[in-house]
């Protein structure tokens, strides 16, 4: 693409970083998604954003779909492009937004993966063999206790904890802060972890969870360590950290039926996002019904 078109893209990325103050993870997603449309435009000899019309956006979306990209991923790419084009409209580079009202193909509805209570007991009742395993167990306890996202977990500082009140202050999406509960098991794990953390942390390090090098642990490292711990505990399948967040939400909803409380716990801006857990709860009800109802049981 022309240098001017790429310059506008660089300005938009600076706007996202400095004005909207998006997280590094979100900025990385925006960069990847917008780079994808740049690459496609170059194959179609589209030199400037003024040359991209609505039909071009539809063609790009369709090509992503033909290559096997899922509907949610395409919608995320379209959302990134829509935001960028709106920025260009505001700066009078474009007269209208070519990505406006263009939607991705629908994807099959996927429910979050969660662990049942028995599997969680097996996961969390393992005995740590060293300080890194104590850290891993503490991270799992805290994630399950408060329904934390992976990014929220690794960004925690020691000052964000209030063990006397059983609370943690979490910085969520959109840099919104919320308070999540820290249950008794998580508090016990943290109490065992903090002396080890202080022993191995680098000077002036504020992170609650540190790596082998004494600095803040990375999301990728947490994913790998959780997988290793799950295998050690004899659990089949890949354990993604978000399974603990989903399990927390599912179990609280099953016990309380309070969707609003789960929304607040998870930090969802929209109740519709939380409602996916009602589908999980219904699945559980359907299984119980099939097993217990006299007219549903198979002979």
């Amino acid at each position: 693409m022309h240098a001017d078109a790429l310059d506008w893209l660089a300005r938009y990325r600076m706007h996202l970083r400095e004005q909207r103050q998006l997280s590094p993870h979100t900025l990385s997603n925006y960069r990847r998604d917008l780079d994808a449309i740049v690459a496609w435009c170059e194959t179609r000899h589209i030199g400037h954003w003024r040359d991209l019309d609505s039909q071009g956006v539809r063609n790009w979306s369709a090509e992503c779909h033909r290559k096997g990209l899922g509907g949610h991923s395409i919608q995320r790419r379209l959302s990134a492009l829509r935001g960028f084009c709106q920025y260009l409209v505001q700066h009078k580079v474009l007269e209208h937004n070519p990505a406006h009202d263009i939607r991705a193909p629908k994807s099959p509805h996927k429910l979050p993966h969660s662990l049942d209570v028995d599997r969680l007991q097996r996961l969390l009742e393992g005995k740590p063999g060293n300080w890194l395993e104590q850290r891993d167990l503490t991270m799992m306890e805290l994630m399950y206790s408060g329904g934390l996202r992976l990014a929220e977990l690794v960004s925690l500082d020691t000052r964000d904890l209030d063990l006397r009140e059983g609370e943690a202050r979490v910085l969520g999406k959109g840099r919104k802060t919320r308070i999540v509960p820290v249950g008794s098991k998580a508090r016990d794990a943290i109490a065992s972890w903090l002396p080890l953390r202080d022993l191995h942390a680098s000077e002036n390090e504020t992170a609650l969870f540190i790596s082998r090098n004494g600095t803040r642990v990375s999301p990728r490292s947490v994913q790998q360590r959780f997988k290793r711990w799950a295998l050690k505990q004899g659990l089949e399948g890949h354990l993604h950290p978000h399974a603990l967040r989903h399990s927390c939400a599912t179990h609280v909803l099953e016990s309380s039926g309070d969707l609003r409380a789960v929304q607040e716990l998870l930090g969802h801006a929209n109740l519709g996002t939380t409602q996916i857990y009602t589908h999980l709860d219904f699945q559980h009800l359907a299984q119980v019904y099939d097993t217990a109802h006299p007219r549903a049981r198979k002979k």
Side-chain angles (χ1 to χ4, degrees), residues 68-81:
L69 200 64
H72 291 299
S73 297
I74 297 173
Q75 189 59 50
R76 191 194 65 224
R77 286 186 174 185
L78 286 170
S79 178
L81 177 61

Side-chain angles (χ1 to χ4, degrees), residues 43-100:
T43 64
R44 296 299 186 277
H45 306 291
I46 297 173
H48 202 282
W49 302 111
R50 288 185 291 267
D51 304 324
L52 181 65
D53 57 16
S54 296
Q55 187 57 51
V57 176
R58 290 191 186 93
N59 292 341
W60 173 56
S61 174
E63 183 170 310
C64 291
H65 185 60
R66 286 195 299 272
K67 289 182 176 179
L69 200 64
H72 291 299
S73 297
I74 297 173
Q75 189 59 50
R76 191 194 65 224
R77 286 186 174 185
L78 286 170
S79 178
L81 177 61
R82 194 177 300 115
F84 173 51
C85 289
Q86 192 57 40
Y87 175 82
L88 296 179
V89 170
Q90 292 170 357
H91 287 78
K92 303 188 184 307
V93 178
L94 299 179
E95 293 184 3
H96 66 278
N97 190 332
H100 181 66

Side-chain angles (χ1 to χ4, degrees), residues 224-265:
Q224 293 172 338
R225 295 290 300 191
F226 279 20
K227 181 179 180 180
R228 176 189 292 187
W229 180 274
L231 291 174
K232 178 183 176 182
Q233 296 307 114
L235 296 180
E236 298 178 357
H238 175 66
L239 174 67
H240 192 278
H242 273 66
L244 295 171
R245 170 174 163 87
H246 298 322
S247 300
C248 171
T250 302
H251 298 162
V252 170
L253 184 60
E254 286 178 353
S255 300
S256 69
D258 192 335
L259 195 62
R260 289 285 183 183
V262 174
Q263 178 191 9
E264 185 175 347
L265 174 68

Side-chain angles (χ1 to χ4, degrees), residues 31-241:
R31 174 181 289 275
R32 183 172 60 251
D33 293 337
L34 292 173
D35 284 348
I37 184 63
V38 169
W40 183 85
C41 286
E42 289 177 344
T43 64
R44 296 299 186 277
H45 306 291
I46 297 173
H48 202 282
W49 302 111
R50 288 185 291 267
D51 304 324
L52 181 65
D53 57 16
S54 296
Q55 187 57 51
V57 176
R58 290 191 186 93
N59 292 341
W60 173 56
S61 174
E63 183 170 310
C64 291
H65 185 60
R66 286 195 299 272
K67 289 182 176 179
L69 200 64
H72 291 299
S73 297
I74 297 173
Q75 189 59 50
R76 191 194 65 224
R77 286 186 174 185
L78 286 170
S79 178
L81 177 61
R82 194 177 300 115
F84 173 51
C85 289
Q86 192 57 40
Y87 175 82
L88 296 179
V89 170
Q90 292 170 357
H91 287 78
K92 303 188 184 307
V93 178
L94 299 179
E95 293 184 3
H96 66 278
N97 190 332
H100 181 66
D101 282 343
I102 295 179
R103 296 290 178 263
K106 289 186 177 181
S107 293
H109 192 62
K110 289 187 177 180
L111 296 175
H113 172 67
S114 61
L115 302 174
D116 60 40
V117 176
D118 289 340
R119 294 183 71 202
L120 267 167
Q121 291 283 79
R122 286 177 58 190
L123 182 73
L124 299 178
E125 289 186 353
K127 302 300 180 184
N130 52 54
W131 73 276
L132 287 173
E133 288 190 349
Q134 179 62 52
R135 176 205 63 186
D136 298 342
L137 178 61
T138 305
M139 288 192 295
M140 286 185 282
E141 286 280 10
L142 187 54
M143 203 167 197
Y144 175 58
S145 174
L148 274 63
R149 298 179 178 95
L150 176 56
E152 294 169 349
L153 179 78
V154 299
S155 66
L156 282 173
D157 290 334
T158 54
R159 64 175 177 269
D160 295 325
L161 291 176
D162 186 342
L163 295 183
R164 179 179 298 178
E165 296 296 328
E167 297 175 346
R169 186 176 66 251
V170 174
L171 185 63
K173 285 188 176 181
R175 303 189 67 81
K176 293 180 180 178
T177 301
R178 71 182 190 280
I179 303 297
V180 300
V182 179
S184 60
K185 295 288 187 182
R187 272 180 277 176
D188 290 344
I190 292 170
S192 297
W193 160 244
L194 285 176
L196 298 171
R197 180 251 174 225
D198 293 343
L199 185 64
H200 293 279
S202 299
E203 187 176 0
N204 299 322
E205 179 57 66
T206 61
L208 174 60
F209 296 112
I210 57 172
S211 67
R212 191 186 302 271
N213 297 325
T215 57
R216 189 179 302 274
V217 69
S218 70
R220 179 60 178 160
S221 176
V222 175
Q223 291 172 338
Q224 293 172 338
R225 295 290 300 191
F226 279 20
K227 181 179 180 180
R228 176 189 292 187
W229 180 274
L231 291 174
K232 178 183 176 182
Q233 296 307 114
L235 296 180
E236 298 178 357
H238 175 66
L239 174 67
H240 192 278

